Amino acid sequence: MELYNYFRSSASWRVRIALALKGLQYDYKPVHLRRNEQFQESYAAVSAARLVPLLRDGDAVITQSMAIIEYLDETHPEPPLLPADPVGRARVRSLAYDVACEVHPLNNLRVLRFLVHDLKLSEDDKNRWYRHWVETGLETVERQLAAQPSTFCHGESPTLADCVLVPQVMNAQRFDCRLEHVPNVRRVFDACLQLPAFADTQPSRCPDAEA
Amino acid sequence: MELYNYFRSSASWRVRIALALKGLQYDYKPVHLRRNEQFQESYAAVSAARLVPLLRDGDAVITQSMAIIEYLDETHPEPPLLPADPVGRARVRSLAYDVACEVHPLNNLRVLRFLVHDLKLSEDDKNRWYRHWVETGLETVERQLAAQPSTFCHGESPTLADCVLVPQVMNAQRFDCRLEHVPNVRRVFDACLQLPAFADTQPSRCPDAEA
């Protein structure tokens, strides 16, 4: 398998975690988003959205981090990244989407670029925007973790929800977002970072990492 | 089952389509987002994110439209809303996420409110923002539909991808977005609207519809 990704893309990191949890080997293919390599012809020809991550598995080309993780879970079921019962699966997906659909889309590189370059938002307003969605989004996750606490987001082993939450929390730290109000989120984050699948795949340890 | 939703919420419509495709009955519980009913105590007590849609199925409370649809597909498998093969399932989910993670989160009510009320964006800039994400996001979907054309997004029966695409296209029409560049998207939209599961659940036909 080949994973096209960028060290700082949190959607890319989600997939690196899932691959590591399943013990799957892959070739790391860097795509430098800040240098706009995603728009180069060779990459744009395979990636309809000109985004990372993208997984090549034989003839299959799969985009969108959560579609990739669900695919990996279906084709390599052990260890499972979703619980067995439908209500548990729904809870895990819902927690993942609370980050992947309500927080991350508002704060990724191309959106911040549009706010600053096209809509001429000030750096202060951009940061206010960023923190607002992170802080309110993580509060949503916190309420659910507090209502049904466990070592990881759902139960005693990592799931899709942890793959999505951990990169978002690391971004929150990088942008000085408030995290005092989300103690369960921080607790789960710390538990995950104890595991090599999370720690060894973090941005700073990627082949294309920059200071 | 009870579905909490708002006629104009396109995430709510996704779930109404899925329920209709599966022929499932439910109680329609309106939550008026513009009147901020999602923040009222009775609703906020069950909805961690204070968002719609939310499905109650017995004791289970499920949030996030795509988690709800996956849950319905697992608990009521016929007709399936995902294909049987893992690569096909990944393609359908990826198409759905291309809208649900790259377009819709940028343009929902609370985001537009923040842009206008908190960041003081002009009406013109707000509309430019809205159209930019719709037009580029649908272009991503278009490339994939053009590369592998079929009656619906994937194959000859509707899937999760159609449940997500159709409400987004209707929003695009409402906000006068450009659609000439996405002929396959328009074709699939038209095919879906021929089906009662799509036509009969559209916003204007909801119990809480307003002019």
Side-chain angles (χ1 to χ4, degrees):
Chain A
M1 287 190 285
E2 294 178 343
L3 181 69
Y4 292 77
N5 70 167
Y6 178 50
F7 79 105
R8 195 146 266 166
S9 144
S10 56
S12 295
W13 189 13
R14 295 172 192 163
V15 178
R16 296 196 300 270
I17 296 167
L19 286 161
L21 285 169
K22 290 187 177 288
L24 297 170
Q25 300 301 312
Y26 59 97
D27 289 334
Y28 187 107
K29 302 279 188 185
V31 180
H32 201 298
L33 297 191
R34 285 202 176 267
R35 288 193 209 119
N36 290 319
E37 289 182 359
Q38 69 277 25
F39 299 115
Q40 285 177 3
E41 213 173 311
S42 60
Y43 189 70
V46 289
S47 167
R50 289 83 165 107
L51 294 172
V52 290
L54 179 149
L55 184 80
R56 263 189 199 278
D57 185 17
D59 289 338
V61 170
I62 303 171
T63 56
Q64 285 290 351
S65 60
M66 289 184 303
I68 296 172
I69 296 175
E70 296 257 8
Y71 170 82
L72 292 171
D73 209 40
E74 289 174 356
T75 51
H76 300 84
E78 295 300 327
L81 298 181
L82 288 167
D85 61 306
V87 175
R89 295 165 75 82
R91 182 168 182 266
V92 167
R93 287 191 178 113
S94 179
L95 284 165
Y97 299 152
D98 278 335
V99 171
C101 299
E102 311 296 342
V103 181
H104 177 260
L106 297 158
N107 289 346
N108 63 29
L109 182 60
R110 69 198 181 107
V111 170
L112 299 181
R113 275 177 171 173
F114 193 84
L115 286 171
V116 171
H117 297 162
D118 292 79
L119 299 179
K120 309 296 178 199
L121 234 60
S122 69
E123 193 67 17
D124 270 2
D125 275 348
K126 185 196 83 175
N127 289 331
R128 195 150 60 91
W129 161 274
Y130 192 103
R131 291 181 191 130
H132 175 77
W133 300 116
V134 171
E135 292 172 5
T136 55
L138 292 183
E139 203 176 330
T140 295
V141 174
E142 174 68 22
R143 285 190 199 109
Q144 292 167 86
L145 299 186
Q148 196 177 317
S150 51
T151 301
F152 297 98
C153 279
H154 185 88
E156 300 308 308
S157 57
T159 61
L160 168 68
D162 302 284
C163 296
V164 176
L165 181 63
V166 164
Q168 186 63 65
V169 174
M170 190 163 282
N171 279 353
Q173 291 177 334
R174 233 181 104 222
F175 280 80
D176 286 331
C177 299
R178 204 163 53 88
L179 291 171
E180 301 85 53
H181 65 314
V182 294
N184 284 282
V185 167
R186 284 186 281 121
R187 180 181 54 70
V188 166
F189 177 79
D190 292 342
C192 288
L193 263 293
Q194 297 295 313
L195 302 180
F198 290 81
D200 296 348
T201 57
Q202 63 184 291
S204 61
R205 301 202 191 160
C206 286
D208 56 338
E210 295 164 6
Chain B
M1 287 190 285
E2 294 178 344
L3 180 68
Y4 291 76
N5 71 166
Y6 178 51
F7 79 105
R8 195 146 267 166
S9 145
S10 56
S12 296
W13 189 14
R14 296 172 191 164
V15 178
R16 296 196 300 269
I17 296 167
L19 286 161
L21 285 169
K22 289 186 178 289
L24 297 170
Q25 300 302 312
Y26 58 98
D27 289 335
Y28 186 108
K29 302 280 189 183
V31 180
H32 201 298
L33 297 191
R34 285 201 176 267
R35 289 193 208 120
N36 289 319
E37 288 182 359
Q38 70 276 26
F39 298 114
Q40 285 178 3
E41 213 173 311
S42 60
Y43 189 71
V46 289
S47 167
R50 288 84 166 107
L51 294 171
V52 290
L54 178 149
L55 183 80
R56 261 188 200 277
D57 184 17
D59 289 338
V61 171
I62 304 171
T63 55
Q64 285 289 350
S65 60
M66 290 183 304
I68 297 172
I69 295 174
E70 296 257 10
Y71 170 82
L72 292 172
D73 208 39
E74 290 175 356
T75 52
H76 301 84
E78 293 301 326
L81 298 181
L82 288 167
D85 62 306
V87 175
R89 295 164 75 82
R91 181 168 183 266
V92 167
R93 287 191 177 113
S94 180
L95 284 165
Y97 299 152
D98 278 336
V99 171
C101 299
E102 311 296 342
V103 181
H104 177 259
L106 297 158
N107 289 346
N108 64 28
L109 181 60
R110 67 198 182 107
V111 170
L112 300 181
R113 275 177 171 173
F114 194 83
L115 286 171
V116 171
H117 297 162
D118 292 78
L119 299 178
K120 309 294 178 200
L121 235 61
S122 69
E123 194 67 15
D124 271 3
D125 275 348
K126 184 196 83 176
N127 289 333
R128 196 149 61 90
W129 161 273
Y130 192 104
R131 290 182 191 130
H132 175 78
W133 300 117
V134 171
E135 291 171 7
T136 55
L138 292 183
E139 204 175 332
T140 296
V141 174
E142 174 68 22
R143 286 190 199 107
Q144 294 168 84
L145 299 186
Q148 195 177 317
S150 51
T151 302
F152 297 99
C153 279
H154 185 88
E156 300 307 308
S157 56
T159 61
L160 168 68
D162 302 283
C163 296
V164 175
L165 181 64
V166 164
Q168 186 63 63
V169 174
M170 189 163 283
N171 279 353
Q173 291 177 333
R174 235 182 102 220
F175 280 79
D176 286 329
C177 299
R178 204 165 52 90
L179 291 171
E180 300 86 54
H181 65 314
V182 294
N184 285 282
V185 167
R186 284 186 281 119
R187 180 181 54 69
V188 167
F189 176 78
D190 291 342
C192 288
L193 263 294
Q194 298 296 313
L195 302 180
F198 290 80
D200 297 349
T201 57
Q202 64 184 290
S204 61
R205 301 201 192 160
C206 287
D208 56 339
E210 294 164 6

